[in-house]
Amino acid sequence: MSETVSVEEFEKTLRKDRERITGRMAAILPPPEEPPETLHQAMRYSSLEGGKRLRGLLCLWSHRMFGDPHPSASLDAACALEFLHAYTLIHDDLPSLDNDDTRRGKPSCHIKFGVALSILAGDALQALAFETLSACPCPEPVNLITSVNILAAAAGSKMLVGGQAADLEGEGKTPREETVQFIHSRKTAELISASLAIGAALALGDSPSVSRLQDVGRDVGLAFQIVDDLLDEEGEEITVGKSLRKDLKRGKITWPACYGVKKSRENAGFLIGKSAARIRDFGDRGLLDRLFHLILDRAS
Amino acid sequence: MSETVSVEEFEKTLRKDRERITGRMAAILPPPEEPPETLHQAMRYSSLEGGKRLRGLLCLWSHRMFGDPHPSASLDAACALEFLHAYTLIHDDLPSLDNDDTRRGKPSCHIKFGVALSILAGDALQALAFETLSACPCPEPVNLITSVNILAAAAGSKMLVGGQAADLEGEGKTPREETVQFIHSRKTAELISASLAIGAALALGDSPSVSRLQDVGRDVGLAFQIVDDLLDEEGEEITVGKSLRKDLKRGKITWPACYGVKKSRENAGFLIGKSAARIRDFGDRGLLDRLFHLILDRAS
C-alpha cells in the first residue's frame, strides 16, 4: 500500500477486505444451530449478508495508515463496528420506528423473524460488539479501553441513539438547519468517526492523530448521510437495496429539504475534500483517500 | 466491616449504599433538559426510581471483601450494572415481549413514553453501561478490560438475551427441567454473576477468586430467579411492585411449574447455603452474607 493506489488495486483490496470482515464476523457470531437457534439465525441474517462494510473498512484502513501493526486486532474491531451498525439497522427498521420492510435488498429482520426476536437480536448484537472489541488482540490494554470508550460514547444517547430519537421527533416538522445538523451529526457521523479513531487507537497512534481522525470521521460521516438523503430522493430502489422516498413519505427532516439538492451536493463535496486534505500527513493513505471519494460518488 | 455485621449495621449500610449508587447514576445520566429531552427523561425514569440495586450492591460488596481498594471504580461499575439491568427491564416489558404495564410500582416505560422511545432508551442504557464501565477509575487497564468483557459476555445472545429469547419461545410449552434451567441460568443468573466478578476484578483480585465469585454469582442468581417465580405465584402485587400471576397467564415455564413450590423453596435455600459457604475464605464477607440471605427471604 502507499500514498496512492490504482483503481484496480483499490477495487481488489475492497473486495478482499470486505470478504475478510464478513468471514471473521461469521466466525465470531454463534452458529445458527446454537440455542436459542432463531435468535442466532436472526443475528446472522441481519449482519452477514449484503452490507457494504463501510465502517469496518474505515477501521481497517485507518489502522493501515499507521503501518498495520496489529492486523488481527483491527479486523476484530472492524467486526465489532459492523455488529453495532447491524443492531442499529434492525432496531431502526422496526414498525414503531422507521417501519421499513426492506433492508439490504431483502425483507427486514422483523418481517422475517418477528418484532420480539428483532428487538432481542439487536440487543444481542450491541452486546456482541462490546464483547468482540474488548477481546480483540491489542497488546496495549489502555488503547483497548480507549477504543471501547469511543465506541460506547458514539453508540449512546448523546450520539447515535440521540440522533435517532431526534430524527423520530422531527418527523412532520418544518425542516430547520440546526435540527438536520443535530440529527445527521449524531445518527450517522459519530459511528463513522469512531471507526477511523478506533483503527488509529489500536495501532497505538498518538492522541492528536486519534483526535484528528475522529474529526475527519465526523465530516466523512456527515457527507455519507447527505449522500444517503440524496439517494433517497433521487436513487433507484433496485440499486440502493432499500425502500426509497421514505423520507418524504414520513416527513423526515433531510439535508436536501433544508439546503436543496445542489447545495447538498456541494456540502458533501466540500466535506470530503476537506477530509482528504486532512489525512495528507499520513503515509499509506491511498485506500482511505479512494474510499472517501467512493462515499461521495456511490450509487447505493 | 467484618466477617459478621449486625442486622442494624447491615440495614444502615444497605440504605446508604443504595443511595450512593442511585446518586451516582443520577450524576452520570445526561440531565433531563439535555436534547433529546424525552429520551433522557425516559432513561432517567426507568433507571433512577424504585430499584433494589441488587446488582450494584453485589458489585460494591464483592469489592469490599478485597479491602475496598478502589471504591470509586466499584461505584461506577455498580452504576454500569444497574444501567444494563434497567435496559433489560424496559425491553422485557415491551408489548411484543412480556407486555407488562407496571414496573417498580409505576407505569412501564412504554406506557409513559411510547414504544419507539422505550426501544431507544433501552438501547442507550446498554451503551451507557459500557461507557460508564470503560471510563471507571481503575488503575489497572487489564482488569478494566476483563470487567468489560465479563459484562458484554453476560449481556449477549448466549446469556442474558439468549435466556430472554428462550423464555419467549417456551411460552405455552410443557415445563421441562432442562428448559427452565437453560432460561433461568441465562436471563437472570449471569448478570448477577457478572456483578460479583466485576467487583472482584476491579479490586485486582486474583483470577481464581474472580472465577469463584463468578460461580457463586450463578448460584445466587438462580436462587434469586427461583424466588422471583415463587413471588409471582404467591406474592402480593402491592408489595412486589409489578404485575403478578403473569407467568401463569402467559404460560411461562417457571421453576415451581417444573419442581413444585416446596422443592423450589428447598432449591433456593440450598443454592444460598452453598454460596454463603463458598465466600467463607474471604475476610469482610459480612454484608454479602446477609445480602445472600435477604435474596432468599425477600418479599419483593
Side-chain angles (χ1 to χ4, degrees), chain A residues 30 34-40 43 87 91-92 94 96-97 115-117 119-124 126-128 130-135 141-142 144-145 148-149 152-153 155-158 161-166 168-169 182 186, chain B residues 30 34-40 43 87 91-92 94 96-97 115-117 119-124 126-128 130-135 141-142 144-145 148-149 152-153 155-158 161-166 168-169 182 186:
Chain A
E34 175 161 340
E37 293 87 349
T38 44
L39 176 66
H40 290 134
M43 290 168 73
Y87 123 65
H91 282 191
D92 284 2
L94 287 168
S96 57
L97 287 117
V115 170
L117 213 64
I119 294 172
L120 295 176
D123 289 346
Q126 177 166 203
L128 186 60
F130 289 104
E131 190 180 355
T132 304
L133 185 58
S134 63
V142 174
L144 200 45
I145 275 291
V148 170
N149 196 250
S157 67
K158 293 183 185 181
V161 177
Q164 183 64 18
L168 270 183
E169 286 180 359
F182 183 97
R186 283 163 179 78
Chain B
E34 175 160 340
E37 293 86 349
T38 45
L39 175 66
H40 290 135
M43 291 168 73
Y87 122 67
H91 282 192
D92 283 2
L94 287 169
S96 57
L97 287 117
V115 171
L117 213 64
I119 294 172
L120 295 176
D123 290 345
Q126 177 166 204
L128 186 61
F130 290 104
E131 189 180 355
T132 304
L133 185 58
S134 63
V142 174
L144 201 44
I145 275 292
V148 169
N149 197 250
S157 67
K158 295 183 185 179
V161 177
Q164 183 63 19
L168 269 182
E169 285 179 1
F182 182 98
R186 283 162 178 78

Side-chain angles (χ1 to χ4, degrees), chain B residues 139-155:
Chain B
E140 195 47 78
V142 174
N143 295 55
L144 201 44
I145 275 292
T146 300
S147 301
V148 169
N149 197 250
I150 289 171
L151 183 64

Side-chain angles (χ1 to χ4, degrees), chain A residues 94-246:
Chain A
L94 287 168
S96 57
L97 287 117
D98 283 355
N99 192 23
D100 221 321
D101 290 356
T102 315
R103 173 62 69 178
R104 292 174 172 172
K106 355 171 260 184
S108 305
C109 191
H110 64 274
I111 299 294
K112 179 101 175 164
F113 292 94
V115 170
L117 213 64
S118 298
I119 294 172
L120 295 176
D123 289 346
L125 281 166
Q126 177 166 203
L128 186 60
F130 289 104
E131 190 180 355
T132 304
L133 185 58
S134 63
C136 90
C138 170
E140 194 49 75
V142 174
N143 296 54
L144 200 45
I145 275 291
T146 301
S147 300
V148 170
N149 196 250
I150 289 171
L151 183 64
S157 67
K158 293 183 185 181
M159 293 300 164
L160 201 155
V161 177
Q164 183 64 18
D167 190 43
L168 270 183
E169 286 180 359
E171 283 177 13
K173 297 204 178 131
T174 312
R176 288 174 54 205
E177 295 181 6
E178 65 182 60
T179 313
V180 77
Q181 283 176 18
F182 183 97
I183 294 170
H184 284 28
S185 64
R186 283 163 179 78
K187 81 169 182 182
T188 311
E190 206 59 27
L191 189 59
I192 286 178
S193 163
S195 306
L196 287 177
I198 289 171
L202 294 178
L204 318 189
D206 58 24
S207 177
S209 298
V210 174
S211 292
R212 197 203 305 182
L213 284 166
Q214 209 160 9
D215 283 347
V216 167
R218 290 187 180 113
D219 286 339
V220 172
L222 186 52
F224 179 87
Q225 186 57 49
I226 294 172
V227 174
D228 217 61
D229 288 356
L230 288 164
L231 284 171
D232 187 80
E233 199 162 313
E234 305 180 324
E236 299 288 333
E237 208 145 308
I238 190 87
T239 320
V240 182
K242 59 182 175 183
S243 315
L244 296 179
R245 324 292 174 245
K246 296 282 292 189

